[in-house]
Each structure stands twice: as C-alpha cells, then as structure tokens.
Amino acid sequence: TRVAATGIALIRPYTVSHVTEDHEMATLTLADHTALSAQLVVQAEGGIYNEQTKKTLHKDYTQTAIVAHVNTSAPIAHRAFERFTNEGPLALLPQEEGYALVWCARPQTAEHLLALSDAAFLQELGLAFGTRLGSFISCSKRNAFPLGLNAEPETSKHMIAIGNAAQTLHPVAGQGLNLGLRDATVLAQLLTCLLYTSDAADDTPCV
C-alpha cells in the first residue's frame, strides 16, 4: 500500500525472460517482450534449491522438507514450536486456525511420509512431535522440497541479488527470512546513503 502511494508502478505477475546490461543501464525483457530499463536491478526471488543453477557454495543437505497446513485438537494461540529429530527439524508455525508444518527428513523417509494416507501421516506426525498440542486432526495437501545450500550470487554494476536469490539455505530457525530482511535493510541504507552523498557538496563515502 505504501509503495502504491508513492506512484511506483507494480507489474505482477510477470516473468523475466532475460537481462542485458551495458555501461549505463540494465534492461529486463519480460515474457511478453516488454523491455524495462533501470540503473539498478534487484533480484529478490530465489526459487527451489534443486532447480537452481549451481553456485560456488553448493551443498546438498540430503534432507527434504515436507510442507503442509495442519490442525490440532488443542492449539496454543500465537506460539510456534520446533523439535529436533535424528533426521532434521520439525517446525509448527501459527497460521490461521492451525499451523504451517515444515518437517525435514531424509529423502527416503520423506518419500514414505508423502505416500501415506492423511490419517496415517497425522499419526506419524503425532509420534514425532508429541502431544503438546493434543492430537493432529487434519492436514492439507503435502508438498516436498529438497534442501541445500546454494550461494554466491552473480553481481555486476547494475544488478544485485538479495534474500534467497543470493543465498538459498536450510529453513531451520528461519535463517533465510532473517538474512533476507537484513539484505533488504542494508541495501536500503546503502541506496539512501548514495542518494544523499550524490546530492551533497562533499564526497563522503558510504560505509
């Protein structure tokens, strides 16, 4: 809402087919062949680990995250939970009337869990999590995402990557979100500094 109030155009959803860059500008060509040019392009959308181009820092965690929405018989409002199992963390995050589930397990275990009926899956989830929230009574469709580290983004004079586009990593403790927020904050501070420095009489550097 605040962005819209500034008069900045929001164009979405759109797919960028490719980007070109010269000395003055970066130009994005969209899927409909529309071209947009800017002095700075910020890539903030990461993607899925096993579908990304391999970067310098690349590590397969040999874990798969199962993601779903679940409901329990005795929810505790506004409280998140995380359990650490032999195969990876299991997190329940408050969402609507239930919880967003992120259950990390070895690929073979994840494949087994995905193949279960809803009732059998909820029983396995109850055994892994415990009874702090009562019993698990329902779940949405389950999705699975391989996990890994994929970092060191390509940067240039007119392009920079932040968040998952810069460093895809394990979701434990929300580290990806935390780093994304930090990236956005630091970038905003640097851009503000550069803007005011360019308008100032001196050449005070941004640090």
Side-chain angles (χ1 to χ4, degrees):
T1 301
R2 293 184 64 179
V3 169
T6 67
I8 297 173
L10 296 177
I11 307 173
R12 63 181 182 184
Y14 257 101
T15 299
V16 177
S17 58
H18 64 274
V19 182
T20 57
E21 186 176 357
D22 58 29
H23 181 69
E24 298 295 332
M25 291 280 184
T27 300
L28 286 71
T29 301
L30 305 182
D32 66 354
H33 305 297
T34 301
L36 300 174
S37 296
Q39 288 184 308
L40 179 65
V41 173
V42 180
Q43 182 185 354
E45 182 177 7
I48 300 174
Y49 164 74
N50 64 328
E51 297 177 1
Q52 295 177 326
T53 301
K54 189 174 181 178
K55 299 175 183 176
T56 303
L57 298 177
H58 188 90
K59 177 179 174 60
D60 187 343
Y61 292 139
T62 61
Q63 288 181 338
T64 297
I66 298 175
V67 179
H69 183 274
V70 298
N71 290 290
T72 66
S73 62
I76 300 175
H78 313 301
R79 186 175 297 181
F81 295 87
E82 187 165 25
R83 300 284 187 265
F84 294 94
T85 76
N86 291 334
E87 297 193 15
L90 187 166
L92 291 172
L93 312 173
Q95 184 184 57
E96 299 172 353
E97 297 301 316
Y99 294 88
L101 167 70
V102 182
W103 188 355
C104 301
R106 296 189 183 97
Q108 299 89 336
T109 302
E111 186 175 348
H112 163 72
L113 293 171
L114 290 169
L116 295 175
S117 66
D118 285 355
F121 175 78
L122 293 172
Q123 184 176 16
E124 290 287 338
L125 177 57
L127 292 174
F129 179 79
T131 58
R132 183 71 182 274
L133 297 173
S135 59
F136 290 90
I137 57 178
S138 67
C139 70
S140 67
K141 177 183 177 181
R142 287 159 265 163
N143 292 299
F145 301 93
L147 300 177
L149 169 68
N150 198 38
E152 189 177 340
E154 295 182 7
T155 58
S156 62
K157 182 177 180 181
H158 298 290
M159 295 185 62
I160 188 169
I162 65 173
N164 268 12
Q167 63 272 322
T168 298
L169 69 165
H170 200 289
V172 65
Q175 292 180 89
L177 174 62
N178 293 334
L179 289 174
L181 292 172
R182 185 195 67 177
D183 288 352
T185 300
V186 172
L187 178 60
Q189 291 171 342
L190 289 172
L191 291 176
T192 301
C193 179
L194 289 170
L195 176 64
Y196 282 105
T197 300
S198 64
D199 291 338
D202 60 16
D203 293 324
T204 304
C206 290
V207 294

